[in-house]
Amino acid sequence: MKKFVVFIIVFSSIFNVYSQYKTFKASVLMNEQTGFNFFTGSDSKYYLTTPKALGSGIYDFSGQYNIKSIWLFSPEKYPIGVATTLGLKITKFRFVNNLYFGVDTPGIFIDNSTNHYYNDFFFSRHGSKLVTGKLFVPIMLYLPVHKWFNSNKDNFGIFAGAFYDGYLFAYHKLYYDQNGQLEKNKTKNKYIKQYFNKNGFGLRGGLKIMNIFIYGQYLITPIFSDILPIDIHETKIGLYYYFDWSDKIPDIDEFDFDNDDGTDAK
C-alpha cells in the first residue's frame, strides 16, 4: 500500500505539470495541499485536532493527488467552467488528546498510562495521529466573474461543487516515550477499517482572488460507521497560491524564424 500511495503522489505531481491550461489548471479547483483538517458535529469537542508540525494537514502530505484533472467545460471558452478528476485523497488528523482505537473493544479511548510520557513541544512527534486514504471524485463549477465585467484578466472567480469520498484505508499512530525510548504504537487498517463509513459525499467551495485560492470543504457523511456512534464530520479550510506559468512562456508563433536575407525560415 505504501508503494502504491507514493507512486500516485509522484505520478500525479509530474502529470499535472504538463496538464496546464491557458488560464489555470482544472486541478487547482480540487487542490487541498495547504489547509487545516478538523472535525465538526455534536461530538467534535471530544476529538479536537491541532496544527502541530506534521499535523492536521499543515506541512505534511495531506491533500488530493489527482491522476488526471480535466475541464469538461473550460472557462476560457464558456461563461462557466466545469471540472472533474479522479484522485487519491490523503487526510491526516493530529489529535489534541492522546487518543487510540480499541481493537478488541470498539471505541476511541484516551491513553492514561502512567508509563507513557507525551512531550507537548511544538515540533515533537509525540501524540495521536489518524491517517485516512480515500478515492476522490469531484464535480466542480467555476464562475469566471471577471467576464461579467468585460475584463480579460482572470483576477476573480467563485468555485463550488460536490464530491464522492470512497474509503480505501486508514491507520492510526500513537507516539510517546517509555523508559526513555520513543515508542510507536501503530494500529493497522485491518483492525479499524470496520469503524469507517465506506462511502461519503461532501461539499466544497471558495474564492479565487488573483492567483490565491481560499476554500472550505465539508464531508456531509459522518466519518464513522454505526459501530462507533460518534457524530463527527471531516472539515477543512485552507488557502494556496497558484503559479501561472502560461503567461511567462511565449507562444511559438511569437518567435522570429526569418533567415538573414529576410525570407521566412518556416
Side-chain angles (χ1 to χ4, degrees):
M1 178 61 72
K2 287 185 177 179
K3 292 182 179 179
F4 173 75
V5 171
V6 171
F7 171 78
I8 291 295
I9 292 174
V10 173
F11 176 81
S12 63
S13 298
I14 295 174
F15 188 91
N16 279 315
V17 169
Y18 295 99
S19 63
Q20 191 165 264
Y21 197 72
K22 288 183 179 180
T23 305
F24 56 88
K25 295 184 295 183
S27 61
V28 300
L29 296 183
M30 283 76 79
N31 188 295
E32 199 188 290
Q33 266 64 39
T34 305
F36 178 58
N37 300 319
F38 59 99
F39 293 109
T40 55
S42 59
D43 295 321
S44 60
K45 59 181 176 292
Y46 304 112
Y47 304 93
L48 300 177
T49 59
T50 175
K52 274 189 174 183
L54 299 178
S56 304
I58 299 179
Y59 304 115
D60 59 24
F61 289 105
S62 289
Q64 271 93 236
Y65 301 93
N66 306 323
I67 296 177
K68 182 175 178 60
S69 301
I70 60 172
W71 288 112
L72 302 178
F73 295 94
S74 169
E76 189 81 5
K77 300 178 180 179
Y78 300 96
I80 186 173
V82 181
T84 189
T85 189
L86 174 65
L88 173 65
K89 176 185 171 188
I90 303 293
T91 309
K92 296 186 179 183
F93 303 94
R94 174 70 68 87
F95 294 104
V96 171
N97 295 319
N98 304 317
L99 303 176
Y100 68 93
F101 283 80
V103 176
D104 298 323
T105 303
I108 301 177
F109 310 98
I110 298 178
D111 181 19
N112 293 316
S113 174
T114 56
N115 295 324
H116 298 167
Y117 169 72
Y118 291 93
N119 187 343
D120 293 330
F121 180 60
F122 184 83
F123 293 105
S124 171
R125 298 178 66 188
H126 288 191
S128 171
K129 182 167 65 176
L130 172 67
V131 180
T132 63
K134 298 182 178 182
L135 179 68
F136 176 71
V137 185
I139 184 75
M140 296 297 300
L141 305 180
Y142 177 70
L143 302 178
V145 178
H146 68 287
K147 284 189 173 182
W148 304 348
F149 298 95
N150 297 319
S151 172
N152 293 324
K153 183 68 174 179
D154 188 8
N155 52 17
F156 186 78
I158 301 172
F159 57 94
F163 60 89
Y164 167 75
D165 220 40
Y167 179 88
L168 296 175
F169 64 88
Y171 61 88
H172 178 265
K173 291 181 180 180
L174 197 65
Y175 286 95
Y176 51 84
D177 279 345
Q178 185 173 7
N179 299 323
Q181 298 291 326
L182 177 65
E183 299 289 339
K184 180 179 73 171
N185 187 341
K186 181 177 180 179
T187 307
K188 297 181 179 180
N189 178 62
K190 63 181 179 180
Y191 298 116
I192 61 176
K193 61 182 179 180
Q194 69 272 16
Y195 296 152
F196 294 86
N197 274 319
K198 298 304 182 287
N199 300 290
F201 297 90
L203 300 174
R204 176 181 174 84
L207 301 174
K208 175 184 181 293
I209 304 173
M210 304 300 287
N211 283 11
I212 298 175
F213 291 76
I214 304 170
Y215 71 92
Q217 186 165 292
Y218 174 73
L219 191 65
I220 299 172
T221 309
I223 186 173
F224 295 125
S225 66
D226 293 338
I227 298 177
L228 291 182
I230 299 172
D231 180 32
I232 57 175
H233 302 255
E234 292 184 37
T235 310
K236 185 163 189 167
I237 56 174
L239 65 91
Y240 53 95
Y241 185 86
Y242 169 65
F243 293 94
D244 184 7
W245 300 107
S246 60
D247 291 337
K248 313 297 187 297
I249 304 174
D251 188 83
I252 192 171
D253 291 334
E254 296 180 19
F255 289 99
D256 185 4
F257 290 96
D258 288 349
N259 294 321
D260 292 339
D261 60 1
T263 60
D264 192 349
K266 294 185 286 186

